[in-house]
Amino acid sequence: MTYPVSSIHDLSPDDYRAREEVSNSDLSQFARSPLHYAFSRDNPTPSTPAQQLGTAVHTLVLEEESFPLIYRTLPEDINLRTKIGREERDYLLGKVDSPDHLLNADTAKLVNDMAAAVRSHPVAREMLEGAVTEVSRFWEEPFGLRCKCRVDAMPVGQWSDTVVDIKTTVNADPYLDFPRSLARWGYHRQAAFYLKSFPEGRSRFHFIAVESKPPHGVSVMELDARSIAQGLLEVDELVSRFTQCQAEDKWPGYSDFAVPVSLPAYAFKSP
């Protein structure tokens, strides 16, 4: 059971991250170990270049009108070895909220090309047309754990029963590589977690995956019900354990005992 849900459509990413509710990213850290979650909570790290690229692509695809207000681009011919070049860079840095929002010319072209690839896909374009985007949702799990998620897109019309999440990836092959990414990165768990904020109305989950290298292949994929059910089992188990750790304020690591270890099955050779 999920308790009443609230939605905020104009909450900035920084304000969303500053809120104390538990996110899917938090649960992913907790899935590794409670200790890793507690460390990441108390020691936030800067975003990686891949994350910065993904954020820029998300912004251009989902909030195209806001993109030029958030991001600036260095001139292609800027020479940062000169005083004039450094002064121009510093001037542009003063126009953005974060250094991450000042793109070099090559990155800006990459972001534009990836966004154009998404828009050129007929199903992706149809899903995103008129969709409500970047929606922050908040709810409470049983036993009082308060949760949050930030939905990329809530489509309308024939797609009004689904939630859309955009992924930037190295390989968007829906038949081989992306299913592996589902398991490796816990995307099935993310889908289940997000859908818990829609107790009524939306029960499907679609990924729009775009490759970060030319020709920027795009796949639109619906996560099957079996995978969502598996994700839900994992989310409920993590929420239960998280609630217990939170109540006791104890965040253990892997194990306090010596445990047996063995090669994985594929490493054993037949005689």
Side-chain angles (χ1 to χ4, degrees):
M1 177 183 295
T2 299
Y3 290 87
V5 178
S6 63
S7 289
I8 302 178
H9 295 248
D10 56 356
L11 190 66
S12 73
D14 288 341
D15 288 342
Y16 169 81
R17 284 190 291 268
R19 291 186 56 137
E20 295 182 352
E21 290 91 347
V22 175
S23 68
N24 176 67
S25 296
D26 294 330
L27 288 184
S28 294
Q29 287 287 350
F30 186 85
R32 184 175 182 185
S33 86
L35 178 66
H36 287 82
Y37 159 73
F39 182 84
S40 67
R41 177 197 62 196
D42 299 336
N43 301 274
T45 57
S47 56
T48 66
Q51 291 169 335
Q52 294 167 16
L53 174 65
T55 299
V57 172
H58 274 71
T59 303
L60 186 54
V61 170
L62 300 173
E63 301 179 284
E64 185 175 4
E65 294 181 357
S66 299
F67 188 85
L69 304 177
I70 299 172
Y71 285 87
R72 296 289 190 276
T73 302
L74 290 169
E76 187 173 5
D77 60 352
I78 192 170
N79 186 350
L80 296 178
R81 291 174 294 182
T82 67
K83 180 180 179 182
I84 292 176
R86 292 191 295 271
E87 288 177 344
E88 185 169 9
R89 176 202 59 196
D90 292 344
Y91 170 78
L92 291 172
L93 279 171
K95 295 292 185 180
V96 294
D97 293 334
S98 165
D100 294 349
H101 295 164
L102 180 59
L103 308 178
N104 62 45
D106 288 341
T107 301
K109 181 180 185 306
L110 177 59
V111 170
N112 277 278
D113 289 349
M114 292 173 69
V118 172
R119 297 192 197 101
S120 70
H121 191 287
V123 178
R125 183 172 61 250
E126 183 179 89
M127 280 184 165
L128 296 175
E129 181 68 31
V132 182
T133 60
E134 299 287 18
V135 182
S136 301
R137 294 178 68 80
F138 306 91
W139 71 98
E140 188 173 296
E141 288 290 311
F143 309 110
L145 186 66
R146 294 180 297 127
C147 298
K148 66 180 179 181
C149 69
R150 191 168 175 89
V151 175
D152 282 350
M154 295 164 50
V156 296
Q158 67 169 316
W159 302 104
S160 61
D161 61 347
T162 194
V163 174
V164 171
D165 191 72
I166 297 176
K167 299 293 186 190
T168 54
T169 184
V170 174
N171 192 328
D173 179 354
Y175 303 110
L176 181 62
D177 196 80
F178 199 81
R180 294 172 179 168
S181 294
L182 289 173
R184 181 180 182 186
W185 302 110
Y187 292 159
H188 63 300
R189 189 170 60 243
Q190 175 199 1
F193 186 73
Y194 280 33
L195 288 174
K196 284 173 76 71
S197 78
F198 294 92
E200 298 178 358
R202 295 181 190 265
S203 58
R204 300 164 66 196
F205 199 96
H206 282 79
F207 296 101
I208 299 176
V210 54
E211 294 175 346
S212 55
K213 292 184 178 180
H216 306 301
V218 175
S219 292
V220 178
M221 298 160 282
E222 180 175 2
L223 189 62
D224 68 319
R226 186 183 181 193
S227 298
I228 291 174
Q230 174 63 33
L232 185 59
L233 286 173
E234 295 177 20
V235 167
D236 286 345
E237 189 270 338
L238 289 170
V239 165
S240 176
R241 289 174 51 211
F242 193 103
T243 303
Q244 181 179 356
C245 288
Q246 190 176 61
E248 298 174 354
D249 196 23
K250 293 181 180 179
W251 308 94
Y254 294 123
S255 175
D256 291 335
F257 304 97
V259 297
V261 67
S262 177
L263 286 168
Y266 67 81
F268 287 96
K269 307 300 181 183
S270 300

